[in-house]
């Protein structure tokens, strides 16, 4: 694996502003969101609104990804995604969610998820995950992907490629009438072929007018994930695979999750809706 030194927290820039005319999620300015009590099956109107939100999130992520290069800070990627969402009338869902200070998550190398954009400079050979969620029309669209920075070692490249493939396989396993645990079963069985760890304590989730509805989508074969998928259910699948253990530590910021053995990790995510025959991806650019 790459011999890169481990990450350390950088310096945060001031909070970015959002134009006043853009609708805020209800949790902004509050310690936590109001618990969701609505249905997991959404109306056609809500699904189409989520498709719009998902498209903006996907395009914002793609726009930020164009700027990934050695020497660029993760804060600069945050700026690009923030401005794209605001320019298209969307609120960056992570900004102010339970106090999160930025408009996307940037998780580099050993960071599993929830990395905070700051003065950290990307280096040749790094891998970085961008996790972008947009709120518009009263609903959220959530996606993420892991990108290569410059010349990346083969082991890390394979990890990224195979994590993307695990998401593709999991989406193909979505069918009405099946239990949610088929998703994790497919991901875990594929990851085990390569000796990868599958992160357990951070999962996919229900999403709609709520950023996290309470529905849990494990990425391992959980005997407890017995909810039956129905047409119209909306949720994310976002497998996190590691080169070593799936155990983790958390930085003092209360957000940044790193592998306990500090080996690299990758993640990919889509928001989708269960259809009569399978799944429809709502976060396509």
């Amino acid at each position: 694996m790459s011999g890169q030194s481990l990450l350390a927290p950088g310096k945060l820039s001031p909070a970015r502003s959002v134009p006043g005319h853009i609708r805020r999620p209800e949790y902004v300015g509050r310690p936590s969101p109001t618990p969701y009590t609505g249905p997991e099956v959404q109306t056609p109107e809500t699904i189409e609104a989520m498709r719009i939100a998902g498209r903006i999130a996907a395009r914002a992520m793609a726009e930020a990804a164009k700027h990934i290069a050695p020497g660029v800070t993760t804060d600069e990627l945050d700026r690009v995604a923030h401005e794209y969402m605001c320019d298209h009338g969307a609120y960056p869902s992570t900004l102010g969610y339970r106090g999160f200070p930025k408009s996307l998550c940037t998780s580099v190398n050993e960071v599993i998820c929830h990395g905070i954009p700051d003065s950290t400079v990307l280096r040749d050979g790094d891998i970085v995950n961008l996790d972008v969620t947009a709120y518009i029309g009263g609903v959220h669209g959530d996606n993420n992907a892991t990108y290569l920075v410059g010349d990346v070692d083969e082991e890390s490249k394979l990890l990224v490629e195979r994590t993307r493939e695990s998401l593709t396989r999991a989406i193909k396993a979505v069918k009405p009438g099946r239990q949610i645990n088929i998703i994790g079963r497919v991901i875990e069985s594929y990851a085990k072929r390569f000796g990868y760890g599958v992160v357990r304590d951070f999962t996919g989730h229900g999403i709609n007018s709520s950023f996290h509805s309470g529905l849990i989508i494990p990425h391992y074969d959980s005997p407890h994930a017995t909810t039956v998928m129905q047409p119209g259910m909306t949720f994310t699948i976002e497998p996190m695979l590691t080169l070593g253990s799936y155990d983790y530590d958390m930085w003092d910021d209360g957000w940044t999750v790193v592998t306990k053995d500090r080996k690299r990790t990758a993640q990919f995510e889509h928001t989708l809706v269960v259809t009569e025959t399978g799944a429809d991806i709502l976060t396509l650019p």
Side-chain angles (χ1 to χ4, degrees):
M1 192 186 77
S2 171
Q4 298 280 42
S5 59
L6 297 179
L7 292 169
K11 182 179 179 180
L12 283 178
S13 64
R16 303 188 195 282
S17 62
V18 177
H21 70 274
I22 293 177
R23 178 179 173 183
R24 272 74 168 153
E26 57 83 24
Y27 52 75
V28 174
R30 302 174 59 238
S32 61
T34 302
Y36 179 72
T37 57
E40 299 297 344
V41 172
Q42 304 303 310
T43 66
E45 292 76 18
T46 297
I47 292 166
E48 288 312 303
M50 290 180 65
R51 197 183 304 278
I52 293 170
R55 184 180 301 127
I56 291 173
R59 290 176 176 174
M61 183 173 73
E63 192 63 30
K66 291 177 185 177
H67 294 74
I68 291 173
V72 174
T73 66
T74 54
D75 187 67
E76 173 64 7
L77 304 180
D78 180 81
R79 182 194 66 78
V80 173
H82 177 94
E83 291 182 0
Y84 186 95
M85 285 185 274
C86 292
D87 287 348
H88 291 81
Y91 185 92
S93 300
T94 61
L95 184 61
Y97 179 78
R98 297 184 182 273
F100 192 84
K102 291 295 176 178
S103 298
L104 81 164
C105 300
T106 51
S107 301
V108 181
N109 295 346
E110 69 268 21
V111 180
I112 295 172
C113 58
H114 304 158
I116 301 175
D118 58 19
S119 62
T120 296
V121 175
L122 295 176
R123 302 161 298 181
D124 187 62
D126 283 342
I127 60 175
V128 57
N129 179 274
L130 305 184
D131 192 338
V132 181
T133 309
Y135 178 80
I136 188 171
V139 296
H140 301 267
D142 186 3
N143 68 164
N144 77 54
T146 302
Y147 299 89
L148 309 180
V149 184
D151 185 17
V152 176
D153 67 278
E154 188 66 16
E155 186 179 38
S156 297
K157 285 181 183 177
L158 287 173
L159 173 68
V160 171
E161 291 171 9
R162 290 163 176 169
T163 306
R164 182 190 294 112
E165 175 64 16
S166 76
L167 173 60
T168 299
R169 290 177 178 229
I171 292 172
K172 289 179 180 177
V174 171
K175 296 284 190 300
R178 288 181 170 176
Q179 293 182 344
I180 289 291
N181 58 15
I182 185 65
I183 294 169
R185 189 175 308 137
V186 166
I187 293 168
E188 187 173 38
S189 63
Y190 179 70
K192 279 184 173 179
R193 288 167 50 180
F194 310 104
Y196 296 154
V198 181
V199 172
R200 291 174 171 243
D201 288 353
F202 301 90
T203 68
H205 53 89
I207 184 170
N208 38 65
S209 60
S210 172
F211 196 171
H212 300 87
S213 73
L215 176 67
I216 301 299
I217 312 295
H219 302 121
Y220 64 99
D221 188 3
S222 169
H224 307 294
T226 56
T227 300
V228 174
M229 291 182 271
Q230 304 173 57
M233 287 179 69
T234 50
F235 52 82
T236 72
I237 304 176
E238 45 189 297
M240 292 151 262
L241 305 187
T242 68
L243 288 176
S245 170
Y246 58 72
D247 292 328
Y248 67 91
D249 293 320
M250 187 174 288
W251 283 4
D252 292 342
D253 61 23
W255 284 104
T256 306
V257 180
V258 295
T259 54
K260 185 170 283 291
D261 56 15
R262 303 303 191 264
K263 291 186 177 180
R264 288 188 170 188
T265 175
Q267 182 184 16
F268 284 84
E269 174 187 24
H270 275 304
T271 296
L272 53 89
V273 58
V274 181
T275 67
E276 296 292 341
T277 57
D280 185 12
I281 298 172
L282 300 177
T283 38
L284 293 176

